[in-house]
Amino acid sequence: MNLAVVTLGLGFLVSEVLFANPNYLGRSLDGGTRIGRVKLFGIQVDRVLTIRTRGPQ
Amino acid sequence: MTLVGGLIIGVGEAMATLYGNDIQNFFHQDLISGLNRLPAFLVIFLVVVVRGRGLPLRSHVAERLPKLGSGEISIRGLLLASAITVALLFGVMNDAWAQATYISLATAIMILSIVVLTGYAGQISLAQWALAGIGALIAGRLVRADVPVELAIVLGILLTIPVGLVFAVPALRHAA
């Protein structure tokens, strides 16, 4: 139970201070932290970017 | 039941977002913030009111507990499920379905991490999302700095561990 209370408070703090700060994550309207095209072990895994460029199917 | 509940909440949130303007017009409000969060609360409220059986009595702890499995991971089942998932992702699903599946699987991993913590320590952590977000943020920043993705993922995990320790220390120090 102690950990639940501590993590609830710290999680809320991180959410408000870090994740809600556009200086760290970029503006949500701009897509947040854009990392461009990504390959993992040679496999293209940037489906989100693909959707943005081609539009939803 | 959990899956059905999650689907109902997810669909409800999507509907609340889609019809947000209509709901605001219905209540004659210029802006109602947090509409998409409302379905989750409504579902919980209705389930508790309709299905609630009152508060547990002191004898509750003596009741028979649910039967658990052995916890042993079936390698054969794991490989089969992984193969089916990869085949569906790259062979059957279009981009929209694949994106939804990626997000769902990543979310499942984060939620399942609670099981490990509960099983080993008997504690509950409510900051899984924050820790995962910090790791993702670190990895994303590293990728933007031209660090290879594979290395960025490993570094994201390693650099998040100290943050997790910051979360854990206060709980360990307070042993009430």
Side-chain angles (χ1 to χ4, degrees):
Chain A
M1 186 61 76
N2 297 328
L3 189 64
V5 174
V6 171
T7 52
L8 177 62
L10 285 173
F12 182 74
L13 179 75
V14 169
S15 174
E16 293 297 312
V17 174
L18 183 63
F19 297 151
N21 190 334
N23 291 331
Y24 298 134
L25 275 82
R27 294 194 322 148
S28 57
L29 288 175
D30 297 334
T33 303
R34 303 289 293 271
I35 57 174
R37 293 197 170 278
V38 172
K39 282 189 175 182
L40 184 64
F41 301 113
I43 301 170
Q44 196 86 26
V45 291
D46 58 343
R47 297 275 193 176
V48 176
L49 190 65
T50 308
I51 286 172
R52 286 217 177 97
T53 52
R54 290 199 305 181
Q57 297 178 0
Chain B
M1 284 300 288
T2 307
L3 178 65
V4 173
L7 281 173
I8 291 173
I9 291 174
V11 170
E13 288 183 351
M15 298 290 280
T17 304
L18 186 63
Y19 295 105
N21 288 334
D22 296 333
I23 297 170
Q24 288 171 18
N25 292 335
F26 181 79
F27 287 105
H28 303 289
Q29 298 291 322
D30 294 332
L31 177 67
I32 302 177
S33 60
L35 264 179
N36 59 334
R37 309 275 173 88
L38 193 59
F41 170 75
L42 284 177
V43 168
I44 293 169
F45 181 81
L46 288 174
V47 168
V48 170
V49 169
V50 174
R51 291 199 56 199
R53 289 178 295 178
L55 293 171
L57 301 173
R58 280 187 174 276
S59 61
H60 173 72
V61 291
E63 291 177 6
R64 196 171 153 191
L65 296 174
K67 189 178 179 184
L68 298 175
S70 65
E72 189 177 343
I73 296 173
S74 166
I75 300 297
R76 188 181 298 173
L78 184 67
L79 289 175
L80 182 64
S82 301
I84 292 172
T85 305
V86 170
L88 288 174
L89 277 174
F90 290 96
V92 178
M93 294 180 182
N94 61 23
D95 287 349
W97 275 98
Q99 182 199 357
T101 307
Y102 286 156
I103 295 172
S104 300
L105 292 175
T107 306
I109 290 172
M110 286 180 238
I111 301 300
L112 282 174
S113 65
I114 292 177
V115 177
V116 178
L117 187 66
T118 307
Y120 277 108
Q123 297 272 8
I124 296 173
S125 168
L126 299 174
Q128 313 302 96
W129 209 257
L131 287 172
I134 290 169
L137 178 62
I138 293 171
R141 288 279 178 175
L142 289 172
V143 170
R144 281 184 70 174
D146 292 331
V147 174
V149 177
E150 296 84 356
L151 180 60
I153 291 173
V154 174
L155 288 174
I157 295 169
L158 292 176
L159 294 174
T160 307
I161 290 174
V163 183
L165 291 175
V166 172
F167 278 63
V169 167
L172 293 173
R173 296 283 294 171
H174 189 272

Short mmCIF file of all heavy atoms in Angstrom, two decimals, chain A residues 1-4 6-8 10-11 14 18-19 23-25 33-35 38-41 43 47-48 50-51 54 57, chain B residues 89-90 94-96 98-99 102 117 123-127 130 133-134 137 140-141 143-144 149-150 153 167 171 174 176:
data_model
loop_
_atom_site.label_atom_id
_atom_site.label_comp_id
_atom_site.label_asym_id
_atom_site.label_seq_id
_atom_site.Cartn_x
_atom_site.Cartn_y
_atom_site.Cartn_z
N MET A 1 0.83 -1.20 0.00
CA MET A 1 0.00 0.00 0.00
C MET A 1 0.86 1.26 0.00
O MET A 1 0.55 2.25 -0.64
CB MET A 1 -0.92 -0.01 1.23
CG MET A 1 -1.93 1.13 1.25
SD MET A 1 -3.05 1.10 -0.16
CE MET A 1 -4.14 -0.22 0.33
N ASN A 2 2.02 1.19 0.72
CA ASN A 2 2.90 2.36 0.76
C ASN A 2 3.37 2.73 -0.63
O ASN A 2 3.38 3.90 -1.01
CB ASN A 2 4.11 2.07 1.64
CG ASN A 2 3.70 1.83 3.06
OD1 ASN A 2 2.73 2.40 3.52
ND2 ASN A 2 4.43 0.97 3.74
N LEU A 3 3.77 1.70 -1.37
CA LEU A 3 4.28 1.96 -2.71
C LEU A 3 3.18 2.55 -3.59
O LEU A 3 3.45 3.42 -4.43
CB LEU A 3 4.81 0.66 -3.33
CG LEU A 3 5.57 0.82 -4.65
CD1 LEU A 3 6.83 1.64 -4.43
CD2 LEU A 3 5.91 -0.52 -5.23
N ALA A 4 1.95 2.10 -3.40
CA ALA A 4 0.84 2.63 -4.19
C ALA A 4 0.67 4.13 -3.95
O ALA A 4 0.50 4.91 -4.90
CB ALA A 4 -0.45 1.88 -3.85
N VAL A 6 2.94 6.29 -2.74
CA VAL A 6 4.12 7.02 -3.22
C VAL A 6 4.10 7.13 -4.75
O VAL A 6 4.33 8.20 -5.33
CB VAL A 6 5.41 6.33 -2.75
CG1 VAL A 6 6.62 6.95 -3.43
CG2 VAL A 6 5.54 6.44 -1.25
N THR A 7 3.82 6.00 -5.41
CA THR A 7 3.86 6.01 -6.87
C THR A 7 2.72 6.84 -7.46
O THR A 7 2.88 7.43 -8.52
CB THR A 7 3.80 4.58 -7.43
OG1 THR A 7 2.69 3.89 -6.84
CG2 THR A 7 5.07 3.84 -7.15
N LEU A 8 1.59 6.86 -6.78
CA LEU A 8 0.48 7.71 -7.26
C LEU A 8 0.92 9.17 -7.24
O LEU A 8 0.73 9.91 -8.22
CB LEU A 8 -0.75 7.51 -6.39
CG LEU A 8 -1.96 8.39 -6.74
CD1 LEU A 8 -2.45 8.08 -8.15
CD2 LEU A 8 -3.09 8.19 -5.74
N LEU A 10 4.09 10.45 -7.07
CA LEU A 10 5.21 10.73 -7.97
C LEU A 10 4.80 10.61 -9.44
O LEU A 10 5.28 11.37 -10.28
CB LEU A 10 6.37 9.79 -7.65
CG LEU A 10 7.14 10.12 -6.38
CD1 LEU A 10 8.16 9.04 -6.07
CD2 LEU A 10 7.85 11.46 -6.51
N GLY A 11 3.93 9.66 -9.72
CA GLY A 11 3.44 9.52 -11.09
C GLY A 11 2.68 10.76 -11.54
O GLY A 11 2.86 11.25 -12.66
N VAL A 14 5.29 13.50 -12.16
CA VAL A 14 5.98 13.33 -13.44
C VAL A 14 5.07 13.71 -14.59
O VAL A 14 5.48 14.39 -15.54
CB VAL A 14 6.46 11.86 -13.58
CG1 VAL A 14 6.93 11.59 -15.00
CG2 VAL A 14 7.56 11.57 -12.60
N LEU A 18 6.64 16.82 -16.28
CA LEU A 18 7.42 16.39 -17.45
C LEU A 18 6.55 16.22 -18.70
O LEU A 18 6.79 16.85 -19.73
CB LEU A 18 8.11 15.06 -17.12
CG LEU A 18 9.03 14.48 -18.18
CD1 LEU A 18 10.20 15.44 -18.45
CD2 LEU A 18 9.57 13.14 -17.75
N PHE A 19 5.50 15.40 -18.58
CA PHE A 19 4.73 15.05 -19.77
C PHE A 19 3.83 16.19 -20.24
O PHE A 19 3.41 16.21 -21.40
CB PHE A 19 3.90 13.80 -19.52
CG PHE A 19 4.74 12.59 -19.23
CD1 PHE A 19 4.25 11.57 -18.43
CD2 PHE A 19 6.01 12.46 -19.77
CE1 PHE A 19 5.03 10.46 -18.16
CE2 PHE A 19 6.79 11.36 -19.50
CZ PHE A 19 6.29 10.36 -18.69
N ASN A 23 8.06 21.94 -23.67
CA ASN A 23 9.50 22.16 -23.88
C ASN A 23 10.26 20.83 -23.92
O ASN A 23 11.30 20.71 -24.55
CB ASN A 23 10.08 23.03 -22.76
CG ASN A 23 9.57 24.44 -22.84
OD1 ASN A 23 9.27 24.93 -23.92
ND2 ASN A 23 9.45 25.09 -21.70
N TYR A 24 9.75 19.83 -23.21
CA TYR A 24 10.41 18.53 -23.18
C TYR A 24 9.89 17.60 -24.27
O TYR A 24 10.63 16.82 -24.84
CB TYR A 24 10.21 17.86 -21.82
CG TYR A 24 10.80 18.63 -20.66
CD1 TYR A 24 10.07 18.84 -19.50
CD2 TYR A 24 12.08 19.15 -20.73
CE1 TYR A 24 10.60 19.55 -18.44
CE2 TYR A 24 12.62 19.87 -19.69
CZ TYR A 24 11.88 20.06 -18.54
OH TYR A 24 12.41 20.78 -17.50
N LEU A 25 8.59 17.65 -24.53
CA LEU A 25 7.99 16.68 -25.44
C LEU A 25 7.57 17.27 -26.77
O LEU A 25 7.16 16.55 -27.67
CB LEU A 25 6.75 16.05 -24.78
CG LEU A 25 7.05 14.86 -23.88
CD1 LEU A 25 7.49 15.33 -22.52
CD2 LEU A 25 5.84 13.97 -23.76
N THR A 33 7.15 14.38 -29.69
CA THR A 33 8.55 14.13 -30.02
C THR A 33 8.61 13.27 -31.27
O THR A 33 8.41 12.07 -31.23
CB THR A 33 9.25 13.41 -28.85
OG1 THR A 33 9.12 14.19 -27.67
CG2 THR A 33 10.73 13.20 -29.14
N ARG A 34 8.88 13.90 -32.40
CA ARG A 34 8.95 13.16 -33.67
C ARG A 34 10.35 12.57 -33.83
O ARG A 34 11.35 13.27 -33.62
CB ARG A 34 8.65 14.11 -34.84
CG ARG A 34 7.31 14.82 -34.73
CD ARG A 34 6.16 13.87 -34.95
NE ARG A 34 6.12 13.38 -36.31
CZ ARG A 34 5.46 14.00 -37.29
NH1 ARG A 34 4.81 15.12 -37.06
NH2 ARG A 34 5.43 13.49 -38.51
N ILE A 35 10.41 11.31 -34.19
CA ILE A 35 11.73 10.67 -34.32
C ILE A 35 11.98 10.20 -35.75
O ILE A 35 12.97 9.55 -36.01
CB ILE A 35 11.87 9.48 -33.35
CG1 ILE A 35 10.76 8.46 -33.56
CG2 ILE A 35 11.89 9.98 -31.92
CD1 ILE A 35 10.95 7.21 -32.74
N VAL A 38 11.92 4.87 -38.49
CA VAL A 38 12.69 4.03 -37.57
C VAL A 38 12.70 2.59 -38.06
O VAL A 38 11.68 2.07 -38.48
CB VAL A 38 12.06 4.09 -36.16
CG1 VAL A 38 12.74 3.09 -35.24
CG2 VAL A 38 12.18 5.48 -35.59
N LYS A 39 13.88 1.99 -38.01
CA LYS A 39 13.99 0.56 -38.32
C LYS A 39 14.53 -0.16 -37.09
O LYS A 39 15.51 0.30 -36.48
CB LYS A 39 14.94 0.33 -39.50
CG LYS A 39 14.30 0.61 -40.85
CD LYS A 39 15.21 0.16 -41.97
CE LYS A 39 14.51 0.34 -43.32
NZ LYS A 39 15.35 -0.13 -44.43
N LEU A 40 13.89 -1.26 -36.73
CA LEU A 40 14.32 -2.07 -35.60
C LEU A 40 14.81 -3.41 -36.14
O LEU A 40 14.01 -4.17 -36.70
CB LEU A 40 13.16 -2.26 -34.62
CG LEU A 40 13.47 -3.01 -33.33
CD1 LEU A 40 14.47 -2.25 -32.49
CD2 LEU A 40 12.19 -3.24 -32.53
N PHE A 41 16.10 -3.67 -35.99
CA PHE A 41 16.71 -4.87 -36.56
C PHE A 41 16.38 -4.99 -38.05
O PHE A 41 16.11 -6.08 -38.56
CB PHE A 41 16.27 -6.12 -35.81
CG PHE A 41 16.60 -6.08 -34.35
CD1 PHE A 41 15.60 -6.02 -33.39
CD2 PHE A 41 17.92 -6.09 -33.92
CE1 PHE A 41 15.91 -5.96 -32.05
CE2 PHE A 41 18.23 -6.04 -32.58
CZ PHE A 41 17.23 -5.97 -31.64
N ILE A 43 13.78 -3.91 -39.62
CA ILE A 43 12.36 -3.95 -39.96
C ILE A 43 11.75 -2.57 -39.75
O ILE A 43 11.95 -1.96 -38.69
CB ILE A 43 11.60 -4.98 -39.09
CG1 ILE A 43 12.20 -6.36 -39.30
CG2 ILE A 43 10.12 -4.98 -39.41
CD1 ILE A 43 11.69 -7.39 -38.31
N ARG A 47 4.89 2.69 -38.21
CA ARG A 47 3.54 2.65 -38.78
C ARG A 47 2.81 3.97 -38.58
O ARG A 47 2.04 4.39 -39.42
CB ARG A 47 2.73 1.54 -38.10
CG ARG A 47 3.27 0.16 -38.33
CD ARG A 47 2.75 -0.40 -39.63
NE ARG A 47 3.02 -1.83 -39.70
CZ ARG A 47 2.61 -2.59 -40.69
NH1 ARG A 47 1.91 -2.10 -41.67
NH2 ARG A 47 2.89 -3.87 -40.70
N VAL A 48 3.03 4.60 -37.43
CA VAL A 48 2.32 5.85 -37.14
C VAL A 48 2.68 6.90 -38.17
O VAL A 48 1.82 7.58 -38.73
CB VAL A 48 2.67 6.36 -35.72
CG1 VAL A 48 2.02 7.70 -35.47
CG2 VAL A 48 2.23 5.35 -34.69
N THR A 50 3.83 6.33 -41.11
CA THR A 50 3.31 5.89 -42.39
C THR A 50 1.86 6.32 -42.57
O THR A 50 1.45 6.79 -43.61
CB THR A 50 3.40 4.35 -42.51
OG1 THR A 50 4.72 3.97 -42.21
CG2 THR A 50 3.02 3.91 -43.89
N ILE A 51 1.09 6.20 -41.48
CA ILE A 51 -0.31 6.61 -41.55
C ILE A 51 -0.41 8.10 -41.81
O ILE A 51 -1.21 8.56 -42.61
CB ILE A 51 -1.02 6.24 -40.23
CG1 ILE A 51 -1.23 4.74 -40.18
CG2 ILE A 51 -2.36 6.95 -40.12
CD1 ILE A 51 -1.73 4.24 -38.86
N ARG A 54 0.48 8.68 -45.53
CA ARG A 54 -0.40 8.08 -46.55
C ARG A 54 -1.87 8.24 -46.24
O ARG A 54 -2.70 8.01 -47.09
CB ARG A 54 -0.08 6.59 -46.67
CG ARG A 54 1.27 6.35 -47.31
CD ARG A 54 1.37 4.96 -47.82
NE ARG A 54 1.07 3.97 -46.79
CZ ARG A 54 1.10 2.68 -47.01
NH1 ARG A 54 1.39 2.22 -48.20
NH2 ARG A 54 0.86 1.83 -46.05
N GLN A 57 -6.17 3.90 -43.76
CA GLN A 57 -6.71 3.02 -44.80
C GLN A 57 -8.11 2.57 -44.45
O GLN A 57 -8.44 2.46 -43.30
CB GLN A 57 -5.81 1.79 -44.94
CG GLN A 57 -4.42 2.19 -45.39
CD GLN A 57 -3.49 1.01 -45.49
OE1 GLN A 57 -3.88 -0.12 -45.22
NE2 GLN A 57 -2.26 1.25 -45.84
N LEU B 89 0.40 -9.14 -37.99
CA LEU B 89 0.87 -7.75 -38.09
C LEU B 89 1.42 -7.44 -39.47
O LEU B 89 1.12 -6.40 -40.05
CB LEU B 89 1.94 -7.49 -37.03
CG LEU B 89 1.46 -7.14 -35.63
CD1 LEU B 89 2.63 -7.07 -34.67
CD2 LEU B 89 0.73 -5.82 -35.63
N PHE B 90 2.24 -8.34 -39.99
CA PHE B 90 2.95 -8.02 -41.23
C PHE B 90 2.29 -8.62 -42.47
O PHE B 90 2.63 -8.23 -43.58
CB PHE B 90 4.40 -8.50 -41.13
CG PHE B 90 5.21 -7.69 -40.15
CD1 PHE B 90 5.39 -8.13 -38.85
CD2 PHE B 90 5.76 -6.47 -40.52
CE1 PHE B 90 6.12 -7.39 -37.94
CE2 PHE B 90 6.48 -5.72 -39.61
CZ PHE B 90 6.67 -6.17 -38.32
N ASN B 94 -3.82 -3.99 -41.94
CA ASN B 94 -3.39 -2.75 -42.57
C ASN B 94 -2.72 -1.87 -41.51
O ASN B 94 -2.61 -2.24 -40.34
CB ASN B 94 -4.56 -2.05 -43.25
CG ASN B 94 -5.64 -1.67 -42.28
OD1 ASN B 94 -5.39 -1.53 -41.08
ND2 ASN B 94 -6.86 -1.52 -42.76
N ASP B 95 -2.28 -0.68 -41.91
CA ASP B 95 -1.50 0.16 -41.00
C ASP B 95 -2.30 0.58 -39.76
O ASP B 95 -1.76 0.63 -38.66
CB ASP B 95 -1.01 1.41 -41.74
CG ASP B 95 0.11 1.06 -42.70
OD1 ASP B 95 0.62 -0.06 -42.62
OD2 ASP B 95 0.45 1.92 -43.54
N ALA B 96 -3.58 0.89 -39.96
CA ALA B 96 -4.38 1.35 -38.83
C ALA B 96 -4.54 0.26 -37.78
O ALA B 96 -4.38 0.49 -36.57
CB ALA B 96 -5.75 1.81 -39.32
N ALA B 98 -2.55 -2.34 -37.44
CA ALA B 98 -1.22 -2.64 -36.87
C ALA B 98 -0.86 -1.62 -35.80
O ALA B 98 -0.34 -1.98 -34.74
CB ALA B 98 -0.17 -2.63 -37.98
N GLN B 99 -1.16 -0.35 -36.05
CA GLN B 99 -0.86 0.68 -35.06
C GLN B 99 -1.64 0.43 -33.77
O GLN B 99 -1.09 0.50 -32.66
CB GLN B 99 -1.21 2.05 -35.61
CG GLN B 99 -0.87 3.17 -34.63
CD GLN B 99 -1.61 4.45 -34.97
OE1 GLN B 99 -2.33 4.52 -35.95
NE2 GLN B 99 -1.44 5.45 -34.14
N TYR B 102 -0.04 -2.49 -31.97
CA TYR B 102 1.21 -2.10 -31.31
C TYR B 102 0.91 -1.43 -29.96
O TYR B 102 1.50 -1.76 -28.92
CB TYR B 102 1.99 -1.09 -32.15
CG TYR B 102 2.68 -1.64 -33.37
CD1 TYR B 102 2.98 -0.81 -34.45
CD2 TYR B 102 3.07 -2.97 -33.45
CE1 TYR B 102 3.62 -1.29 -35.57
CE2 TYR B 102 3.70 -3.45 -34.57
CZ TYR B 102 3.97 -2.61 -35.62
OH TYR B 102 4.60 -3.09 -36.72
N LEU B 117 5.30 -7.14 -9.81
CA LEU B 117 5.53 -6.41 -8.55
C LEU B 117 4.64 -6.96 -7.43
O LEU B 117 5.10 -7.17 -6.30
CB LEU B 117 5.23 -4.92 -8.78
CG LEU B 117 5.56 -3.99 -7.62
CD1 LEU B 117 7.07 -3.96 -7.41
CD2 LEU B 117 5.04 -2.60 -7.90
N GLN B 123 3.20 -5.50 -3.33
CA GLN B 123 2.92 -4.07 -3.40
C GLN B 123 2.24 -3.74 -4.72
O GLN B 123 2.27 -4.53 -5.67
CB GLN B 123 4.23 -3.26 -3.30
CG GLN B 123 4.96 -3.43 -1.99
CD GLN B 123 4.48 -2.44 -0.93
OE1 GLN B 123 3.51 -1.73 -1.11
NE2 GLN B 123 5.17 -2.42 0.19
N ILE B 124 1.64 -2.57 -4.77
CA ILE B 124 1.00 -2.11 -6.00
C ILE B 124 1.63 -0.79 -6.40
O ILE B 124 1.73 0.12 -5.58
CB ILE B 124 -0.52 -1.92 -5.80
CG1 ILE B 124 -1.18 -3.26 -5.48
CG2 ILE B 124 -1.16 -1.31 -7.04
CD1 ILE B 124 -2.63 -3.13 -5.11
N SER B 125 2.04 -0.71 -7.64
CA SER B 125 2.59 0.55 -8.16
C SER B 125 1.57 1.19 -9.09
O SER B 125 0.96 0.52 -9.92
CB SER B 125 3.89 0.28 -8.91
OG SER B 125 4.27 1.44 -9.63
N LEU B 126 1.39 2.48 -8.95
CA LEU B 126 0.45 3.21 -9.79
C LEU B 126 1.18 4.16 -10.74
O LEU B 126 0.59 5.10 -11.25
CB LEU B 126 -0.54 3.98 -8.92
CG LEU B 126 -1.39 3.12 -7.98
CD1 LEU B 126 -2.23 3.99 -7.07
CD2 LEU B 126 -2.28 2.19 -8.78
N ALA B 127 2.46 3.90 -10.95
CA ALA B 127 3.23 4.82 -11.80
C ALA B 127 3.85 4.09 -12.99
O ALA B 127 4.86 4.52 -13.52
CB ALA B 127 4.32 5.50 -10.98
N ALA B 130 4.01 6.34 -15.98
CA ALA B 130 5.02 7.39 -15.88
C ALA B 130 6.41 6.81 -16.16
O ALA B 130 7.21 7.41 -16.90
CB ALA B 130 4.98 8.02 -14.49
N GLY B 133 6.73 6.03 -19.77
CA GLY B 133 6.83 7.27 -20.52
C GLY B 133 8.22 7.88 -20.44
O GLY B 133 8.75 8.39 -21.43
N ILE B 134 8.82 7.81 -19.26
CA ILE B 134 10.18 8.34 -19.11
C ILE B 134 11.16 7.53 -19.97
O ILE B 134 12.00 8.09 -20.68
CB ILE B 134 10.61 8.30 -17.62
CG1 ILE B 134 9.81 9.34 -16.83
CG2 ILE B 134 12.09 8.56 -17.48
CD1 ILE B 134 9.96 9.22 -15.34
N LEU B 137 10.58 8.44 -23.55
CA LEU B 137 11.08 9.79 -23.83
C LEU B 137 12.60 9.78 -23.99
O LEU B 137 13.14 10.39 -24.94
CB LEU B 137 10.67 10.73 -22.69
CG LEU B 137 11.16 12.18 -22.81
CD1 LEU B 137 10.61 12.84 -24.06
CD2 LEU B 137 10.76 12.98 -21.58
N GLY B 140 13.42 8.04 -27.25
CA GLY B 140 13.06 8.89 -28.39
C GLY B 140 14.06 10.01 -28.60
O GLY B 140 14.46 10.31 -29.73
N ARG B 141 14.48 10.61 -27.49
CA ARG B 141 15.47 11.69 -27.59
C ARG B 141 16.80 11.17 -28.14
O ARG B 141 17.47 11.84 -28.92
CB ARG B 141 15.71 12.30 -26.20
CG ARG B 141 14.54 13.14 -25.71
CD ARG B 141 14.63 14.50 -26.33
NE ARG B 141 13.51 15.33 -25.95
CZ ARG B 141 13.42 16.61 -26.29
NH1 ARG B 141 14.37 17.17 -27.00
NH2 ARG B 141 12.38 17.31 -25.93
N VAL B 143 17.18 8.56 -30.13
CA VAL B 143 17.01 8.28 -31.56
C VAL B 143 17.10 9.56 -32.37
O VAL B 143 17.70 9.60 -33.45
CB VAL B 143 15.66 7.56 -31.80
CG1 VAL B 143 15.35 7.47 -33.29
CG2 VAL B 143 15.67 6.17 -31.20
N ARG B 144 16.52 10.62 -31.82
CA ARG B 144 16.61 11.92 -32.52
C ARG B 144 18.05 12.40 -32.60
O ARG B 144 18.41 13.15 -33.50
CB ARG B 144 15.77 12.96 -31.78
CG ARG B 144 14.30 12.84 -32.09
CD ARG B 144 13.51 13.93 -31.44
NE ARG B 144 13.75 15.24 -32.05
CZ ARG B 144 13.09 16.33 -31.72
NH1 ARG B 144 12.15 16.28 -30.80
NH2 ARG B 144 13.34 17.47 -32.30
N VAL B 149 18.42 2.67 -32.90
CA VAL B 149 17.20 2.38 -32.14
C VAL B 149 17.42 1.29 -31.11
O VAL B 149 16.98 1.41 -29.96
CB VAL B 149 16.07 1.96 -33.11
CG1 VAL B 149 14.82 1.58 -32.33
CG2 VAL B 149 15.77 3.07 -34.08
N GLU B 150 18.12 0.23 -31.51
CA GLU B 150 18.32 -0.90 -30.60
C GLU B 150 19.07 -0.44 -29.34
O GLU B 150 18.69 -0.80 -28.21
CB GLU B 150 19.11 -2.02 -31.30
CG GLU B 150 18.38 -2.65 -32.48
CD GLU B 150 18.56 -1.85 -33.77
OE1 GLU B 150 19.19 -0.77 -33.72
OE2 GLU B 150 18.05 -2.28 -34.82
N ILE B 153 16.87 1.89 -27.10
CA ILE B 153 15.90 1.17 -26.27
C ILE B 153 16.57 0.66 -24.99
O ILE B 153 16.05 0.81 -23.89
CB ILE B 153 15.26 0.00 -27.07
CG1 ILE B 153 14.38 0.57 -28.18
CG2 ILE B 153 14.46 -0.91 -26.15
CD1 ILE B 153 13.84 -0.48 -29.13
N PHE B 167 11.34 6.23 -6.95
CA PHE B 167 9.97 5.88 -6.59
C PHE B 167 9.95 4.90 -5.42
O PHE B 167 9.08 4.96 -4.55
CB PHE B 167 9.26 5.22 -7.79
CG PHE B 167 8.70 6.20 -8.78
CD1 PHE B 167 9.52 7.05 -9.48
CD2 PHE B 167 7.34 6.26 -9.00
CE1 PHE B 167 9.02 7.94 -10.40
CE2 PHE B 167 6.83 7.16 -9.91
CZ PHE B 167 7.67 8.00 -10.61
N ALA B 171 8.97 4.31 -0.30
CA ALA B 171 8.11 3.21 0.14
C ALA B 171 8.86 2.24 1.03
O ALA B 171 8.32 1.72 2.00
CB ALA B 171 7.55 2.50 -1.08
N HIS B 174 9.47 3.64 4.56
CA HIS B 174 8.28 3.74 5.41
C HIS B 174 7.65 2.37 5.49
O HIS B 174 6.86 1.97 4.66
CB HIS B 174 7.29 4.74 4.79
CG HIS B 174 6.16 5.05 5.71
ND1 HIS B 174 5.00 4.32 5.73
CD2 HIS B 174 6.02 6.02 6.64
CE1 HIS B 174 4.18 4.83 6.62
NE2 HIS B 174 4.76 5.86 7.20
N ALA B 176 5.55 0.92 7.50
CA ALA B 176 4.37 0.77 8.37
C ALA B 176 3.38 -0.22 7.78
O ALA B 176 3.32 -0.38 6.57
CB ALA B 176 3.71 2.11 8.58
#
